[in-house]
C-alpha cells in the first residue's frame, strides 16, 4: 500500500500533457532568469530594496515557489468541484475588486489603486479575476446552452455581470485587465454557441465602447498618440515605446548577451514587468524573442487541443474552461508582445508566467494546473478509468 501511495504522484505525472508542462516550466524558468537580469540595476540603485542586486530575484523565486505549491494543490481538485464553486468564486472576485477601491485599504502605486497589502507583498485582485471569469463564463454557458440563440436569456445577464466588473476595473483604473476579461468572457460565449450575428453586433458594440473610453480619457488618448509616433515626443508620451524599440534594435539576431542590456539601466521603465520582452530582445535577440513566442504558441495550441478532446468526450464545461484558458494566455501574451514591439498602444499588462509579480504568477500557475487537470481527466476517461 505504501509503494502504491508513493507511486501515485509519479503515475499522475506520466499521464499529463508533457508538451504543455515543459513549455510552461521553460517559460517560468526563463522568466526567473530574465527578471533577475532586467532588475539588477534598479534593485542595486534603490533604497527601497536596500541596494540589494538580487532583491527582485529572491522575491520572484519566493512567489514562484508559492505559486507552484498552489498549482499542485489546484491540480488535485476535480473539474466538477470547480464548476460548483465558479459562481461563488466570481462573487469573491467582485468583492475583492470593491475592497481594493476603498481608501485606506487599496494601495495606490503610480496613480492606480489595484493592490491590497498582505504585509510581505501586494496582491492584485484583477489577476485572480481573470481565472474566476474563465470558470464562471464556462459554467454560465453550460447552464444556458439551450438558449444561447436568445439575446435576452443568454447574453444580457452575462453582459450585466461583465459591466459590473468593467466599472470596477475602470475605477482602478486597469484597462488592460478589462480588455482581457471581456475578450475571454465573450470568446467562451461564442464557443458555447452564441449566434454569429449576435457576436458580430457585440464586437461592434465593444469597439464603439472602447473608442469612447479612449476619447473621454486624456491619458488614454496620450497613449494612443504616443503609440502612433513615439519619436514625436520621445522624452514624453513616447518614452517607454521609443526605448523598447531601441532595445529591439540593439538585439538584432542573437542579442548583446545575457546581462548586457543597456536599456534596463534606468532607461526603460518597468523593465522587469511590462517590458520584460524588450530586455529579452536586447539580450537574446530575435532568436530569444522567437523562442518565447513559440513556447506561448505551444501553450495556446495545447489548451485548444485539450478542449477539442473534451468535446469529443462530451465534457462541455472542461472544454470551455480549457479553451477559455487558451484565449486568456493567448490574448494577454499577444497584447504584451504587441506593446513591446510597438504594434499596440502601451497597456499595463504583464507577460504571463515570465514578468515579475506574485499575483500574476499565482494566477497563471493555478490556471495551468487546472488545464493539466482537464487533460488528466480526459486521459482517465479514454482508458476507461474513473475520475
Amino acid at each position: 500500500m505504501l509503494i502504491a501511495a508513493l507511486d501515485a504522484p509519479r503515475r499522475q505525472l506520466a499521464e499529463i500533457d508533457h508538451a504543455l508542462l515543459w513549455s510552461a516550466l521553460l517559460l517560468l524558468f526563463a522568466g526567473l532568469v530574465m527578471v533577475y537580469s532586467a532588475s539588477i540595476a534598479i534593485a542595486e540603485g534603490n533604497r527601497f530594496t536596500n541596494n540589494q542586486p538580487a532583491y527582485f530575484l529572491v522575491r520572484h523565486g519566493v512567489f514562484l515557489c508559492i505559486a507552484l505549491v498552489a498549482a499542485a494543490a489546484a491540480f488535485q481538485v476535480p473539474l466538477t468541484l470547480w464548476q460548483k464553486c465558479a459562481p461563488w468564486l466570481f462573487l469573491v472576485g467582485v468583492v475583492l475588486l470593491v475592497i481594493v477601491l476603498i481608501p485606506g485599504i487599496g494601495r495606490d502605486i503610480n496613480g492606480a489603486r489595484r493592490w491590497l497589502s498582505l504585509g510581505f507583498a501586494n496582491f492584485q485582485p484583477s489577476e485572480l479575476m481573470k481565472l474566476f471569469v474563465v470558470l464562471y463564463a464556462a459554467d454560465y454557458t453550460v447552464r444556458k446552452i439551450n438558449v444561447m440563440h436568445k439575446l435576452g436569456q443568454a447574453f444580457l445577464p452575462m453582459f450585466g455581470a461583465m459591466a459590473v466588473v468593467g466599472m470596477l476595473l475602470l475605477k482602478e483604473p486597469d484597462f488592460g485587465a478589462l480588455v482581457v476579461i471581456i475578450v475571454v468572457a465573450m470568446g467562451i460565449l461564442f464557443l458555447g454557441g452564441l449566434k454569429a450575428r449576435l457576436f458580430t453586433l457585440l464586437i461592434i458594440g465593444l469597439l464603439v465602447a472602447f473608442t469612447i473610453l479612449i476619447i473621454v480619457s486624456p491619458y488614454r488618448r496620450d497613449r494612443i498618440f504616443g503609440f502612433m509616433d513615439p519619436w514625436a515626443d520621445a522624452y514624453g508620451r513616447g518614452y517607454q515605446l521609443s526605448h523598447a524599440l531601441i532595445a529591439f534594435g540593439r538585439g538584432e539576431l542573437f542579442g548583446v548577451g545575457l546581462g548586457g542590456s543597456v536599456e534596463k539601466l534606468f532607461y526603460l521603465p518597468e523593465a522587469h514587468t511590462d517590458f520584460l520582452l524588450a530586455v529579452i530582445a536586447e539580450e537574446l535577440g530575435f532568436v530569444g524573442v522567437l523562442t518565447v513566442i513559440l513556447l506561448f504558441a505551444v501553450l495556446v495550441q495545447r489548451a485548444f487541443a485539450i478542449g477539442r478532446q473534451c468535446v469529443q468526450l462530451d465534457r462541455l464545461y472542461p472544454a470551455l474552461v480549457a479553451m477559455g484558458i487558451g484565449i486568456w494566455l493567448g490574448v494577454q501574451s499577444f497584447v504584451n508582445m504587441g506593446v513591446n514591439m510597438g504594434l499596440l498602444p502601451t497597456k499595463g499588462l504583464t507577460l504571463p508566467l515570465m514578468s515579475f509579480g506574485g499575483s500574476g504568477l499565482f494566477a497563471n500557475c493555478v490556471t495551468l494546473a487546472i488545464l493539466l487537470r482537464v487533460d488528466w481527466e480526459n486521459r482517465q476517461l479514454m482508458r476507461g478509468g474513473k475520475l
Side-chain angles (χ1 to χ4, degrees):
M1 186 176 292
L2 178 60
I3 295 175
L6 292 174
D7 282 344
R10 190 180 305 169
R11 288 199 305 271
Q12 282 188 335
L13 188 62
E15 295 173 351
I16 60 177
D17 192 315
H18 286 275
L20 173 62
L21 177 64
W22 283 108
S23 58
L25 290 176
L26 285 171
L27 286 170
L28 288 169
F29 177 74
L32 185 66
V33 173
M34 293 311 303
V35 163
Y36 181 42
S37 177
S39 65
I40 291 177
I42 189 172
E44 197 170 22
N46 195 327
R47 288 182 297 175
F48 173 76
T49 63
N50 296 318
N51 305 110
Q52 296 295 320
Y55 176 85
F56 290 102
L57 171 66
V58 172
R59 289 179 69 83
H60 194 76
V62 171
F63 293 151
L64 181 56
C65 289
I66 294 172
L68 290 175
V69 170
F75 180 78
Q76 305 303 320
V77 180
L79 264 294
T80 52
L81 184 56
W82 285 115
Q83 184 174 4
K84 290 178 183 177
C85 295
W88 300 106
L89 291 173
F90 181 77
L91 287 176
V92 168
V94 172
V95 170
L96 289 174
L97 291 179
V98 172
I99 292 174
V100 82
L101 295 174
I102 299 175
I105 298 181
R107 286 202 62 185
D108 279 299
I109 301 177
N110 296 329
R113 184 177 292 167
R114 304 175 185 172
W115 296 268
L116 296 172
S117 177
L118 301 180
F120 64 95
N122 293 322
F123 167 66
Q124 191 171 355
S126 60
E127 291 293 338
L128 268 186
M129 194 63 189
K130 296 170 187 174
L131 171 58
F132 295 163
V133 165
V134 169
L135 297 173
Y136 174 70
D139 174 60
Y140 177 88
T141 303
V142 170
R143 287 188 281 111
K144 299 283 187 176
I145 194 66
N146 293 324
V147 292
M148 287 303 292
H149 60 285
K150 296 181 180 179
L151 177 65
Q153 291 179 265
F155 170 68
L156 291 182
M158 176 60 78
F159 176 80
M162 291 302 103
V164 171
V165 173
M167 288 188 292
L168 293 172
L169 288 173
L170 289 175
K171 282 287 186 180
E172 294 185 3
D174 194 347
F175 190 67
L178 172 61
V179 171
V180 172
I181 284 173
I182 293 298
V183 171
V184 168
M186 296 306 105
I188 290 175
L189 283 180
F190 178 71
L191 292 170
L194 188 68
K195 293 185 70 172
R197 185 176 60 182
L198 291 178
F199 189 74
T200 302
L201 292 174
L202 171 62
I203 294 297
I204 295 173
L206 287 174
L207 290 175
V208 171
F210 286 146
T211 302
I212 293 172
L213 287 173
I214 291 170
I215 291 174
V216 301
S217 175
Y219 87 92
R220 292 194 186 102
R221 287 203 308 271
D222 287 343
R223 285 188 171 185
I224 292 293
F225 291 135
F227 151 73
M228 294 172 66
D229 186 5
W231 308 109
D233 188 10
Y235 294 99
R237 61 193 181 194
Y239 183 81
Q240 285 179 306
L241 179 54
S242 61
H243 280 281
L245 294 176
I246 291 171
F248 272 86
R250 293 192 74 245
E252 297 184 349
L253 187 59
F254 296 106
V256 298
L258 186 63
S261 170
V262 171
E263 286 300 317
K264 70 184 181 185
L265 304 178
F266 300 97
Y267 293 105
L268 182 62
E270 311 297 339
H272 58 302
T273 55
D274 298 354
F275 284 88
L276 186 67
L277 189 71
V279 178
I280 294 174
E282 187 176 2
E283 296 188 349
L284 304 180
F286 173 77
V287 173
V289 173
L290 183 60
T291 301
V292 171
I293 292 174
L294 290 175
L295 288 173
F296 275 108
V298 170
L299 283 184
V300 175
Q301 187 274 330
R302 293 315 304 156
F304 276 88
I306 291 169
R308 287 195 300 270
Q309 194 174 62
C310 287
V311 173
Q312 294 171 358
L313 294 170
D314 198 25
R315 304 181 68 218
L316 182 56
Y317 178 73
L320 292 174
V321 168
M323 294 182 186
I325 291 171
I327 294 172
W328 169 14
L329 295 177
V331 169
Q332 183 162 335
S333 58
F334 175 79
V335 171
N336 179 274
M337 293 174 187
V339 167
N340 276 254
M341 297 178 188
L343 302 176
L344 295 171
T346 304
K347 279 265 109 307
L349 277 177
T350 55
L351 189 60
L353 299 170
M354 298 191 72
S355 293
F356 177 80
S359 303
L361 268 181
F362 184 90
N364 295 156
C365 288
V366 169
T367 297
L368 286 175
I370 293 173
L371 182 59
L372 287 167
R373 175 74 191 197
V374 174
D375 176 65
W376 182 82
E377 290 185 0
N378 284 349
R379 292 169 189 257
Q380 300 307 302
L381 290 174
M382 286 190 295
R383 70 178 197 175
K386 293 183 179 180
L387 299 180

